[in-house]
Amino acid sequence: MITDDAMMAVALEEARAGYAEGGVPIGAALFGGDGTLLGRGHNRRVQDDDPSTHAETAAFRAAGRRPSYRDTTMVTTLSPCWYCSGLIMQFGIPRVVVGEARTFEGRHEWLAGHGVEVVVLDDAECAGLMTDFIRERPHLWYEDIGAESD
């Protein structure tokens, strides 16, 4: 069986790739109940000029159509926003592993309150990637989370 840390390593690879491309460094992966990688992706809002391409949606799309997602785990380097939390609820993904929630609180508590198993790893590399990005490109970060910058 694959560990949460091993699954997070895949999402971190995606986050690093997004950062290297000049985008928002958030990565995600969807795994089957047996640990099989089903899909992976990273935030591509900047690269694709598409506000809907969050890391979780990219990983979900890459996994392809399935009759059920009830045995899957979504792994994401950052606590999922409302949009991505809605995807998790809509398709019944029962487990979410979050890299960090320091830089963005997201909606992982809401998910947990609605029966989703949530594991927050508080991973230093995930937090470091986001901290660097927010410092370097604050306007892009605030655009990504739908907030006004100071």
Side-chain angles (χ1 to χ4, degrees):
M1 187 57 81
I2 189 166
T3 66
D4 291 347
D5 288 332
M7 289 188 290
M8 185 56 64
V10 175
L12 262 167
E13 285 177 18
E14 290 293 328
R16 287 187 215 107
Y19 194 43
E21 295 168 0
V24 181
I26 304 169
L30 187 67
F31 288 87
D34 63 355
T36 302
L37 176 63
L38 303 173
R40 60 190 291 165
H42 54 271
N43 184 301
R44 296 194 51 87
R45 295 181 76 250
V46 174
Q47 299 92 316
D48 295 348
D49 195 29
D50 179 353
S52 70
T53 311
H54 291 208
E56 297 88 342
T57 60
F60 184 76
R61 288 174 182 156
R65 185 171 157 230
R66 304 173 54 84
S68 174
Y69 297 87
R70 302 220 181 272
D71 70 338
T72 62
T73 297
M74 177 66 76
V75 182
T76 178
T77 59
L78 185 65
S79 180
C81 67
W82 276 119
Y83 172 59
C84 296
S85 294
L87 178 143
I88 291 162
M89 289 300 294
Q90 174 70 31
F91 290 95
I93 296 171
R95 187 166 189 270
V96 177
V97 177
V98 175
E100 67 101 355
R102 297 181 210 174
T103 59
F104 181 69
E105 207 168 298
R107 298 296 173 244
H108 67 273
E109 293 290 341
W110 179 81
L111 287 167
H114 285 83
V116 175
E117 179 188 350
V118 177
V119 177
V120 180
L121 299 178
D122 196 28
D123 183 271
E125 185 177 357
C126 291
L129 270 171
M130 287 308 302
T131 300
D132 291 347
F133 172 75
I134 293 166
R135 184 183 62 250
E136 294 166 7
R137 302 182 75 189
H139 294 301
L140 183 56
W141 170 240
Y142 289 114
E143 173 192 316
D144 190 65
I145 61 171
E148 297 293 322
S149 63
D150 296 333

